[in-house]
Coordinates of all heavy atoms in Angstrom, one line a residue:
M173 N 70.2 15.3 208.7 CA 70.9 14.6 207.7 C 71.9 15.4 207.0 O 71.6 16.5 206.6 CB 69.9 14.0 206.8 CG 70.5 13.2 205.7 SD 69.3 12.5 204.5 CE 69.1 10.9 205.3
A174 N 73.1 15.0 206.9 CA 74.2 15.7 206.3 C 74.1 15.6 204.7 O 73.7 14.5 204.2 CB 75.5 15.3 206.8
I175 N 74.5 16.6 204.0 CA 74.6 16.6 202.6 C 76.0 16.2 202.2 O 76.9 16.8 202.6 CB 74.2 17.9 202.0 CG1 72.7 18.3 202.4 CG2 74.3 17.9 200.5 CD1 72.3 19.7 202.0
D176 N 76.1 15.2 201.3 CA 77.4 14.8 200.8 C 77.8 15.6 199.6 O 77.2 15.5 198.5 CB 77.3 13.3 200.4 CG 78.7 12.8 200.0 OD1 79.7 13.3 200.4 OD2 78.7 11.8 199.2
I177 N 78.8 16.5 199.8 CA 79.3 17.3 198.7 C 80.7 16.9 198.2 O 81.4 17.7 197.6 CB 79.2 18.8 199.1 CG1 80.1 19.0 200.3 CG2 77.8 19.3 199.3 CD1 80.3 20.5 200.6
S178 N 81.0 15.7 198.5 CA 82.4 15.2 198.1 C 82.5 15.1 196.6 O 83.6 15.1 196.0 CB 82.7 13.9 198.7 OG 81.8 12.9 198.3
G179 N 81.4 15.0 195.8 CA 81.5 15.0 194.4 C 81.9 16.3 193.7 O 82.4 16.3 192.6
I180 N 81.9 17.4 194.5 CA 82.3 18.7 193.9 C 83.8 18.7 193.8 O 84.3 19.5 192.9 CB 81.8 19.8 194.8 CG1 81.7 21.1 194.0 CG2 82.8 20.1 196.0 CD1 80.9 22.1 194.7
S181 N 84.6 17.8 194.5 CA 86.0 17.8 194.3 C 86.4 17.3 192.9 O 87.5 17.6 192.5 CB 86.6 16.9 195.4 OG 86.2 15.6 195.2
Y182 N 85.5 16.6 192.3 CA 85.8 16.2 190.9 C 85.9 17.4 189.9 O 86.6 17.3 188.9 CB 84.7 15.2 190.5 CG 84.9 14.7 189.1 CD1 85.8 13.7 188.7 CD2 84.0 15.1 188.0 CE1 86.0 13.3 187.5 CE2 84.2 14.6 186.7 CZ 85.1 13.7 186.5 OH 85.3 13.3 185.2
F183 N 85.1 18.4 190.2 CA 85.0 19.6 189.3 C 86.0 20.7 189.7 O 86.0 21.8 189.1 CB 83.6 20.1 189.3 CG 82.6 19.1 188.7 CD1 81.7 18.5 189.5 CD2 82.6 18.9 187.3 CE1 80.8 17.6 188.9 CE2 81.8 18.0 186.8 CZ 80.9 17.3 187.6
L184 N 86.8 20.6 190.8 CA 87.6 21.6 191.3 C 88.7 22.1 190.2 O 88.9 23.3 190.1 CB 88.3 21.2 192.5 CG 87.5 21.4 193.8 CD1 88.3 21.0 195.0 CD2 87.1 22.9 194.0
P185 N 89.3 21.2 189.4 CA 90.2 21.7 188.4 C 89.5 22.6 187.3 O 90.0 23.5 186.9 CB 90.7 20.4 187.7 CG 90.6 19.4 188.8 CD 89.4 19.7 189.5
I186 N 88.2 22.2 187.0 CA 87.5 23.0 186.1 C 87.2 24.4 186.7 O 87.3 25.4 186.0 CB 86.2 22.3 185.6 CG1 86.5 21.0 184.9 CG2 85.3 23.2 184.8 CD1 85.4 20.1 184.7
F187 N 86.8 24.4 187.9 CA 86.5 25.7 188.6 C 87.7 26.5 188.7 O 87.7 27.8 188.5 CB 85.9 25.5 190.0 CG 84.5 24.9 190.0 CD1 84.1 24.0 191.0 CD2 83.6 25.1 189.0 CE1 82.9 23.4 191.0 CE2 82.4 24.6 189.0 CZ 82.0 23.7 190.0
G188 N 88.9 25.9 189.0 CA 90.1 26.7 189.0 C 90.5 27.2 187.7 O 90.9 28.4 187.6
F189 N 90.3 26.5 186.6 CA 90.6 27.0 185.2 C 89.7 28.1 184.9 O 90.2 29.2 184.4 CB 90.4 25.8 184.2 CG 90.5 26.3 182.8 CD1 91.7 26.4 182.2 CD2 89.3 26.6 182.1 CE1 91.8 26.8 180.9 CE2 89.4 27.0 180.8 CZ 90.7 27.1 180.2
L190 N 88.4 28.0 185.2 CA 87.5 29.1 184.9 C 87.8 30.3 185.7 O 87.6 31.5 185.2 CB 86.0 28.6 185.1 CG 85.5 27.6 184.1 CD1 84.1 27.2 184.5 CD2 85.4 28.3 182.7
F191 N 88.1 30.1 187.0 CA 88.5 31.3 187.8 C 89.6 32.1 187.3 O 89.6 33.3 187.1 CB 88.8 30.8 189.3 CG 89.1 31.8 190.2 CD1 88.2 32.7 190.7 CD2 90.4 32.0 190.7 CE1 88.5 33.7 191.6 CE2 90.8 33.0 191.5 CZ 89.8 33.8 192.0
V192 N 90.7 31.4 186.9 CA 91.9 32.1 186.4 C 91.6 32.7 185.1 O 92.0 33.8 184.8 CB 93.1 31.1 186.3 CG1 94.2 31.7 185.5 CG2 93.5 30.6 187.7
F193 N 90.8 32.0 184.2 CA 90.5 32.5 182.9 C 89.7 33.8 183.0 O 90.0 34.8 182.3 CB 89.7 31.5 182.1 CG 89.2 31.9 180.8 CD1 90.1 32.0 179.7 CD2 87.9 32.2 180.5 CE1 89.7 32.4 178.5 CE2 87.5 32.6 179.3 CZ 88.4 32.7 178.3
V194 N 88.7 33.8 183.9 CA 87.8 35.0 184.0 C 88.6 36.2 184.6 O 88.5 37.3 184.1 CB 86.6 34.7 184.8 CG1 85.8 35.9 185.3 CG2 85.7 33.7 184.1
I195 N 89.4 35.9 185.6 CA 90.2 37.0 186.2 C 91.2 37.6 185.3 O 91.3 38.8 185.2 CB 90.9 36.5 187.5 CG1 89.8 36.1 188.6 CG2 91.8 37.5 188.1 CD1 89.0 37.2 189.1
V196 N 91.9 36.8 184.6 CA 92.9 37.3 183.6 C 92.3 38.0 182.5 O 92.7 39.1 182.1 CB 93.8 36.1 183.1 CG1 94.7 36.6 182.0 CG2 94.7 35.6 184.2
Y197 N 91.2 37.5 182.0 CA 90.4 38.2 180.9 C 89.9 39.5 181.3 O 90.0 40.5 180.6 CB 89.3 37.3 180.3 CG 88.6 38.0 179.2 CD1 89.1 38.1 178.0 CD2 87.3 38.6 179.4 CE1 88.4 38.7 176.9 CE2 86.6 39.2 178.4 CZ 87.2 39.3 177.2 OH 86.5 40.0 176.2
A198 N 89.3 39.6 182.5 CA 88.8 40.8 183.0 C 89.9 41.9 183.2 O 89.8 43.1 182.9 CB 88.1 40.6 184.4
L199 N 91.1 41.4 183.7 CA 92.2 42.4 183.9 C 92.7 42.9 182.6 O 93.0 44.1 182.4 CB 93.3 41.7 184.7 CG 93.1 41.5 186.2 CD1 94.2 40.7 186.8 CD2 93.0 42.8 186.9
L200 N 92.8 42.0 181.6 CA 93.3 42.4 180.3 C 92.3 43.3 179.6 O 92.7 44.3 178.9 CB 93.6 41.2 179.4 CG 94.8 40.4 179.8 CD1 94.9 39.1 178.9 CD2 96.1 41.2 179.6
A201 N 91.0 43.0 179.7 CA 90.0 43.9 179.1 C 89.9 45.2 179.7 O 89.7 46.2 179.1 CB 88.7 43.2 179.1
K202 N 90.0 45.3 181.0 CA 89.9 46.5 181.8 C 91.1 47.4 181.6 O 90.9 48.6 181.4 CB 89.7 46.3 183.3 CG 89.3 47.4 184.1 CD 88.0 48.0 183.7 CE 87.6 49.1 184.7 NZ 86.4 49.8 184.3
T203 N 92.3 46.9 181.6 CA 93.5 47.7 181.5 C 93.9 48.0 180.1 O 94.7 48.9 179.8 CB 94.7 47.0 182.2 OG1 94.9 45.7 181.6 CG2 94.4 46.8 183.7
K204 N 93.3 47.2 179.1 CA 93.7 47.4 177.7 C 95.2 47.3 177.5 O 95.7 48.0 176.7 CB 93.1 48.7 177.1 CG 91.6 48.7 177.2 CD 91.1 50.0 176.5 CE 89.7 50.0 176.4 NZ 88.6 50.2 176.8
L205 N 95.8 46.3 178.2 CA 97.2 46.1 178.1 C 97.7 45.7 176.8 O 98.7 46.1 176.3 CB 97.6 45.1 179.2 CG 99.1 44.9 179.4 CD1 99.7 46.2 180.0 CD2 99.3 43.8 180.4
L206 N 96.9 44.9 176.1 CA 97.2 44.3 174.8 C 96.3 45.0 173.7 O 96.3 44.5 172.6 CB 97.0 42.8 174.8 CG 97.9 42.0 175.8 CD1 97.5 40.6 175.8 CD2 99.3 42.2 175.5
G207 N 95.7 46.1 174.0 CA 94.8 46.7 173.0 C 93.4 46.4 173.2 O 93.0 45.8 174.2
D208 N 92.6 46.8 172.2 CA 91.1 46.6 172.3 C 90.6 45.2 171.7 O 89.5 45.0 171.7 CB 90.4 47.7 171.6 CG 90.5 49.0 172.3 OD1 90.7 49.0 173.5 OD2 90.5 50.1 171.7
S209 N 91.5 44.4 171.2 CA 91.1 43.2 170.6 C 90.7 42.1 171.6 O 91.5 41.7 172.5 CB 92.3 42.6 169.8 OG 92.0 41.4 169.2
Q210 N 89.4 41.7 171.5 CA 88.9 40.7 172.5 C 89.5 39.4 172.2 O 89.6 38.6 173.1 CB 87.4 40.7 172.4 CG 86.7 41.9 172.9 CD 85.2 41.8 172.9 OE1 84.7 40.8 172.4 NE2 84.5 42.8 173.4
L211 N 89.8 39.1 170.9 CA 90.3 37.8 170.5 C 91.7 37.6 171.2 O 91.9 36.5 171.7 CB 90.4 37.6 169.0 CG 90.9 36.3 168.5 CD1 90.0 35.2 168.9 CD2 91.1 36.3 167.0
I212 N 92.5 38.6 171.1 CA 93.8 38.4 171.7 C 93.7 38.3 173.2 O 94.4 37.4 173.8 CB 94.7 39.7 171.4 CG1 95.0 39.7 169.9 CG2 96.0 39.7 172.2 CD1 95.8 40.9 169.4
N213 N 92.8 39.0 173.9 CA 92.6 38.9 175.3 C 92.1 37.5 175.7 O 92.5 36.9 176.7 CB 91.6 39.9 175.8 CG 92.2 41.3 175.8 OD1 93.4 41.5 175.7 ND2 91.3 42.3 175.8
L214 N 91.2 36.9 174.8 CA 90.7 35.6 175.1 C 91.8 34.5 174.9 O 91.9 33.6 175.8 CB 89.6 35.2 174.1 CG 88.2 35.8 174.5 CD1 87.2 35.6 173.3 CD2 87.7 35.1 175.7
I215 N 92.6 34.7 173.9 CA 93.7 33.7 173.7 C 94.7 33.7 174.8 O 95.1 32.7 175.3 CB 94.4 33.9 172.3 CG1 93.4 33.6 171.2 CG2 95.6 33.1 172.2 CD1 93.8 34.0 169.8
I216 N 95.1 34.9 175.2 CA 96.1 35.1 176.3 C 95.6 34.6 177.6 O 96.3 33.8 178.3 CB 96.6 36.6 176.4 CG1 97.3 37.0 175.1 CG2 97.5 36.7 177.6 CD1 98.6 36.3 174.8
S217 N 94.3 34.9 177.9 CA 93.8 34.4 179.2 C 93.6 32.9 179.1 O 93.7 32.3 180.2 CB 92.5 35.1 179.5 OG 91.5 34.9 178.4
F218 N 93.3 32.4 178.0 CA 93.1 30.9 177.9 C 94.5 30.2 178.1 O 94.6 29.2 178.8 CB 92.6 30.5 176.5 CG 92.3 29.1 176.3 CD1 91.2 28.5 176.9 CD2 93.1 28.3 175.5 CE1 90.9 27.2 176.7 CE2 92.8 27.0 175.3 CZ 91.7 26.4 175.9
I219 N 95.5 30.8 177.5 CA 96.9 30.2 177.7 C 97.3 30.3 179.1 O 97.8 29.3 179.7 CB 97.9 30.9 176.7 CG1 97.6 30.5 175.3 CG2 99.3 30.5 177.1 CD1 98.3 31.3 174.3
V220 N 97.1 31.4 179.8 CA 97.5 31.5 181.2 C 96.7 30.6 182.0 O 97.2 30.0 183.0 CB 97.3 33.0 181.6 CG1 97.4 33.1 183.1 CG2 98.3 33.9 180.9
A221 N 95.4 30.4 181.8 CA 94.6 29.5 182.5 C 95.0 28.0 182.3 O 95.0 27.2 183.3 CB 93.1 29.6 182.1
I222 N 95.4 27.7 181.1 CA 96.0 26.3 180.9 C 97.3 26.1 181.7 O 97.5 25.0 182.3 CB 96.2 26.1 179.4 CG1 94.8 25.9 178.7 CG2 97.1 24.9 179.1 CD1 94.9 25.7 177.2
I223 N 98.1 27.1 181.6 CA 99.4 27.0 182.4 C 99.1 26.8 183.9 O 99.7 26.0 184.5 CB 100.3 28.2 182.1 CG1 100.8 28.2 180.7 CG2 101.4 28.3 183.1 CD1 101.5 29.5 180.3
F224 N 98.2 27.6 184.4 CA 97.8 27.5 185.8 C 97.2 26.1 186.2 O 97.5 25.5 187.2 CB 96.9 28.6 186.3 CG 97.6 29.8 186.8 CD1 98.2 30.6 185.9 CD2 97.5 30.1 188.1 CE1 98.9 31.8 186.4 CE2 98.2 31.2 188.6 CZ 98.8 32.0 187.8
S225 N 96.4 25.6 185.2 CA 95.7 24.3 185.5 C 96.7 23.1 185.4 O 96.4 22.0 185.9 CB 94.5 24.1 184.7 OG 94.9 24.1 183.3
T226 N 97.8 23.2 184.6 CA 98.7 22.1 184.5 C 99.7 22.0 185.5 O 100.3 20.9 185.8 CB 99.4 22.1 183.1 OG1 100.1 23.4 183.0 CG2 98.4 22.0 182.0
M227 N 100.0 23.1 186.2 CA 101.0 23.1 187.3 C 100.3 22.7 188.6 O 99.4 23.4 189.0 CB 101.7 24.4 187.4 CG 102.5 24.8 186.2 SD 103.1 26.4 186.2 CE 104.4 26.2 187.5
A228 N 100.7 21.6 189.2 CA 100.0 21.1 190.4 C 100.0 22.0 191.6 O 99.0 22.2 192.3 CB 100.6 19.8 190.8
S229 N 101.2 22.7 191.8 CA 101.3 23.5 193.0 C 100.4 24.8 192.8 O 99.8 25.2 193.8 CB 102.7 23.9 193.3 OG 103.2 24.7 192.2
V230 N 100.4 25.3 191.6 CA 99.5 26.5 191.4 C 98.1 26.1 191.4 O 97.2 26.9 191.9 CB 99.9 27.2 190.0 CG1 99.1 28.3 189.7 CG2 101.4 27.6 190.1
E231 N 97.7 25.0 190.9 CA 96.4 24.5 190.9 C 95.9 24.3 192.3 O 94.7 24.7 192.7 CB 96.2 23.2 190.1 CG 94.8 22.7 190.0 CD 94.8 21.4 189.2 OE1 95.7 21.1 188.5 OE2 93.7 20.7 189.4
E232 N 96.7 23.8 193.2 CA 96.4 23.6 194.6 C 96.1 25.0 195.3 O 95.2 25.2 196.1 CB 97.5 22.8 195.3 CG 97.1 22.5 196.7 CD 98.3 21.6 197.3 OE1 98.8 20.7 196.6 OE2 98.6 21.9 198.5
Y233 N 97.0 25.9 194.9 CA 96.8 27.3 195.5 C 95.5 27.9 195.0 O 94.8 28.5 195.8 CB 98.0 28.2 195.0 CG 97.9 29.6 195.4 CD1 98.1 30.0 196.8 CD2 97.6 30.6 194.5 CE1 98.0 31.3 197.2 CE2 97.5 31.9 194.9 CZ 97.7 32.2 196.2 OH 97.6 33.6 196.6
I234 N 95.2 27.8 193.7 CA 93.9 28.4 193.2 C 92.7 27.7 193.9 O 91.7 28.3 194.3 CB 93.9 28.2 191.7 CG1 94.9 29.1 191.1 CG2 92.5 28.6 191.2 CD1 94.8 30.5 191.3
E235 N 92.8 26.4 194.1 CA 91.7 25.6 194.8 C 91.6 26.1 196.2 O 90.5 26.0 196.8 CB 91.9 24.1 194.7 CG 91.8 23.6 193.3 CD 92.1 22.1 193.2 OE1 92.5 21.5 194.2 OE2 92.0 21.6 192.1
T236 N 92.6 26.5 196.8 CA 92.6 27.0 198.2 C 92.0 28.4 198.3 O 91.2 28.8 199.2 CB 94.0 27.0 198.9 OG1 94.5 25.7 198.8 CG2 93.9 27.4 200.3
V237 N 92.4 29.3 197.3 CA 92.0 30.7 197.3 C 90.6 31.0 196.8 O 89.9 31.9 197.3 CB 93.1 31.5 196.5 CG1 92.6 32.9 196.3 CG2 94.4 31.5 197.2
T238 N 90.1 30.2 195.9 CA 88.8 30.4 195.2 C 87.7 30.5 196.2 O 86.9 31.4 196.1 CB 88.6 29.4 194.1 OG1 89.6 29.4 193.2 CG2 87.3 29.7 193.4
P239 N 87.5 29.6 197.1 CA 86.4 29.7 198.1 C 86.5 30.9 198.9 O 85.5 31.6 199.2 CB 86.5 28.4 198.9 CG 87.3 27.5 198.2 CD 88.2 28.3 197.3
W240 N 87.7 31.3 199.3 CA 87.8 32.5 200.1 C 87.5 33.8 199.3 O 87.0 34.8 199.9 CB 89.2 32.6 200.8 CG 89.4 31.6 201.8 CD1 90.1 30.5 201.8 CD2 88.8 31.6 203.1 NE1 90.0 29.8 203.0 CE2 89.2 30.5 203.8 CE3 87.9 32.5 203.8 CZ2 88.8 30.2 205.1 CZ3 87.5 32.2 205.1 CH2 88.0 31.1 205.7
F241 N 87.8 33.8 198.0 CA 87.5 34.9 197.2 C 86.0 35.0 197.1 O 85.5 36.2 197.1 CB 88.1 34.7 195.8 CG 87.9 35.8 194.8 CD1 88.6 37.0 195.0 CD2 86.9 35.7 193.8 CE1 88.3 38.0 194.1 CE2 86.7 36.7 193.0 CZ 87.4 37.9 193.1
V242 N 85.3 33.9 196.9 CA 83.8 34.0 196.8 C 83.2 34.5 198.2 O 82.3 35.3 198.1 CB 83.3 32.6 196.5 CG1 81.8 32.5 196.6 CG2 83.7 32.2 195.1
V243 N 83.8 34.0 199.3 CA 83.3 34.5 200.6 C 83.5 36.0 200.7 O 82.7 36.8 201.2 CB 84.0 33.8 201.7 CG1 83.7 34.4 203.1 CG2 83.5 32.3 201.8
L244 N 84.7 36.5 200.2 CA 85.0 38.0 200.3 C 84.0 38.8 199.4 O 83.5 39.8 199.9 CB 86.4 38.2 199.8 CG 86.8 39.7 199.6 CD1 87.0 40.3 201.0 CD2 88.1 39.8 198.8
V245 N 83.7 38.3 198.2 CA 82.7 39.0 197.4 C 81.3 39.0 198.0 O 80.7 40.1 198.0 CB 82.7 38.3 196.0 CG1 81.5 38.8 195.2 CG2 84.0 38.5 195.2
I246 N 80.9 37.9 198.6 CA 79.6 37.9 199.3 C 79.5 38.8 200.5 O 78.6 39.6 200.7 CB 79.2 36.5 199.7 CG1 79.0 35.6 198.4 CG2 78.0 36.4 200.6 CD1 78.8 34.1 198.7
V247 N 80.6 38.8 201.3 CA 80.7 39.7 202.4 C 80.7 41.2 202.0 O 80.0 42.0 202.6 CB 81.9 39.4 203.3 CG1 82.2 40.5 204.3 CG2 81.7 38.1 204.0
L248 N 81.4 41.5 201.0 CA 81.4 42.9 200.5 C 80.1 43.3 199.9 O 79.6 44.5 200.1 CB 82.5 43.1 199.4 CG 83.9 43.1 199.8 CD1 84.9 43.1 198.6 CD2 84.2 44.3 200.7
F249 N 79.4 42.4 199.3 CA 78.0 42.7 198.8 C 77.1 43.0 199.9 O 76.3 44.0 199.9 CB 77.5 41.5 198.0 CG 76.1 41.6 197.5 CD1 75.8 42.5 196.4 CD2 75.1 40.9 198.1 CE1 74.6 42.6 196.0 CE2 73.8 41.0 197.6 CZ 73.5 41.9 196.6
F250 N 77.1 42.2 201.0 CA 76.3 42.5 202.1 C 76.6 43.7 202.9 O 75.8 44.5 203.4 CB 76.3 41.3 203.1 CG 75.4 40.1 202.6 CD1 75.9 38.9 202.4 CD2 74.0 40.4 202.3 CE1 75.1 37.8 202.0 CE2 73.2 39.3 201.9 CZ 73.8 38.1 201.7
I251 N 77.9 44.1 202.9 CA 78.3 45.3 203.6 C 77.8 46.5 202.8 O 77.3 47.5 203.3 CB 79.9 45.4 203.7 CG1 80.3 44.4 204.8 CG2 80.4 46.8 204.0 CD1 81.8 44.2 204.9
L252 N 77.9 46.4 201.5 CA 77.4 47.5 200.6 C 75.9 47.6 200.7 O 75.3 48.7 200.7 CB 77.8 47.3 199.2 CG 79.3 47.5 198.9 CD1 79.6 47.1 197.4 CD2 79.7 48.9 199.1
I253 N 75.2 46.5 200.9 CA 73.7 46.6 201.1 C 73.4 47.2 202.4 O 72.5 48.1 202.5 CB 73.1 45.2 201.0 CG1 73.1 44.7 199.6 CG2 71.7 45.2 201.6 CD1 72.5 43.3 199.4
I254 N 74.1 46.9 203.5 CA 73.9 47.5 204.8 C 74.1 49.0 204.8 O 73.4 49.8 205.3 CB 74.7 46.8 205.9 CG1 74.2 45.4 206.1 CG2 74.7 47.6 207.2 CD1 75.0 44.5 207.0
I255 N 75.2 49.4 204.1 CA 75.6 50.8 204.0 C 74.5 51.5 203.2 O 74.1 52.6 203.5 CB 77.0 51.0 203.4 CG1 78.0 50.5 204.4 CG2 77.2 52.4 203.0 CD1 79.4 50.5 203.9
G256 N 74.1 50.9 202.1 CA 73.1 51.5 201.3 C 71.7 51.7 202.0 O 71.0 52.7 201.8
L257 N 71.3 50.7 202.7 CA 70.1 50.8 203.4 C 70.1 51.7 204.7 O 69.1 52.1 205.1 CB 69.6 49.4 203.9 CG 69.2 48.4 202.7 CD1 68.9 47.1 203.3 CD2 68.1 49.0 201.9
S258 N 71.3 52.0 205.1 CA 71.4 52.9 206.3 C 71.3 54.4 205.8 O 71.2 55.3 206.7 CB 72.7 52.7 207.0 OG 73.8 53.1 206.3
Q259 N 71.4 54.7 204.6 CA 71.2 56.0 204.1 C 69.8 56.5 204.2 O 68.9 55.7 204.1 CB 71.7 56.1 202.6 CG 73.1 55.7 202.3 CD 74.1 56.7 202.9 OE1 73.8 57.9 202.9 NE2 75.2 56.2 203.3
Q260 N 69.6 57.8 204.4 CA 68.2 58.2 204.7 C 67.5 58.6 203.3 O 66.3 58.5 203.3 CB 68.3 59.5 205.6 CG 68.7 59.1 207.0 CD 68.6 60.2 207.9 OE1 68.1 61.3 207.6 NE2 69.0 60.1 209.1
K261 N 68.3 58.9 202.3 CA 67.7 59.3 201.1 C 67.8 58.1 200.1 O 68.8 57.6 199.8 CB 68.4 60.5 200.4 CG 68.3 61.8 201.2 CD 69.0 62.9 200.5 CE 69.0 64.1 201.3 NZ 69.7 65.2 200.6
I262 N 66.6 57.7 199.6 CA 66.6 56.6 198.7 C 67.2 57.0 197.3 O 67.7 56.1 196.6 CB 65.2 56.0 198.5 CG1 65.2 54.6 197.8 CG2 64.3 56.9 197.7 CD1 65.7 53.6 198.7
S263 N 67.2 58.3 197.0 CA 67.7 58.7 195.7 C 69.3 58.5 195.7 O 69.8 58.4 194.6 CB 67.4 60.2 195.4 OG 67.9 61.0 196.5
D264 N 69.9 58.6 196.9 CA 71.4 58.3 196.9 C 71.7 56.9 196.6 O 72.8 56.6 196.0 CB 71.9 58.7 198.3 CG 71.8 60.2 198.6 OD1 71.7 60.9 197.7 OD2 71.9 60.5 199.8
I265 N 70.8 56.0 196.9 CA 71.1 54.6 196.6 C 70.8 54.3 195.2 O 71.5 53.5 194.6 CB 70.2 53.7 197.5 CG1 70.5 53.9 199.0 CG2 70.4 52.2 197.2 CD1 69.5 53.3 199.9
M266 N 69.8 54.9 194.6 CA 69.4 54.6 193.2 C 70.2 55.2 192.1 O 69.8 55.1 191.0 CB 67.9 55.0 193.1 CG 67.0 54.3 194.1 SD 67.1 52.5 194.0 CE 66.0 52.2 192.6
K267 N 71.3 55.9 192.5 CA 72.1 56.5 191.4 C 72.8 55.4 190.6 O 73.2 54.4 191.2 CB 73.2 57.4 192.0 CG 72.6 58.7 192.6 CD 73.7 59.5 193.2 CE 73.2 60.8 193.8 NZ 74.3 61.6 194.4
P268 N 73.0 55.7 189.3 CA 73.7 54.7 188.5 C 75.2 54.6 188.9 O 75.7 55.6 189.3 CB 73.5 55.1 187.1 CG 73.0 56.5 187.1 CD 72.5 56.8 188.5

């Protein structure tokens, strides 16, 4: 029996907004481009996410790229697990 996941298309704009918001906030926080203020980083990332979600062509692009990004993260995680388990010393894996 097949699972009907067509209802998830209703939430795609929300997922696109959250994806852009998190990525922009992470980039701003990591690079400290606008300083150390978290409030400014939140406001700027919120504005950029709103701009991305209101433009139809950009929203369509984000909806296309987001699943592939998730697949990439999962594949990289499994590759790192395989590399870590192939090491002979467990202390090399357990380093912080």
Side-chain angles (χ1 to χ4, degrees):
M173 177 179 270
I175 298 174
D176 184 23
I177 59 171
S178 63
I180 206 165
S181 66
Y182 179 73
F183 296 107
L184 277 178
I186 297 170
F187 293 146
F189 174 83
L190 288 175
F191 179 73
V192 172
F193 178 75
V194 168
I195 296 296
V196 171
Y197 179 76
L199 287 174
L200 289 175
K202 187 68 174 173
T203 60
K204 296 184 174 89
L205 188 65
L206 301 173
D208 290 331
S209 176
Q210 291 182 356
L211 181 63
I212 292 175
N213 290 342
L214 279 171
I215 291 171
I216 297 297
S217 58
F218 185 76
I219 290 170
V220 170
I222 286 176
I223 290 171
F224 268 74
S225 64
T226 57
M227 298 176 70
S229 62
V230 177
E231 184 179 342
E232 186 176 318
Y233 176 73
I234 294 298
E235 289 174 0
T236 305
V237 169
T238 303
W240 289 106
F241 182 77
V242 171
V243 169
L244 174 70
V245 168
I246 292 171
V247 167
L248 287 176
F249 178 72
F250 281 123
I251 288 173
L252 289 174
I253 286 178
I254 290 171
I255 290 172
L257 292 175
S258 68
Q259 300 291 325
Q260 293 186 6
K261 295 181 184 178
I262 195 71
S263 61
D264 292 340
I265 300 171
M266 301 302 279
K267 287 182 184 176

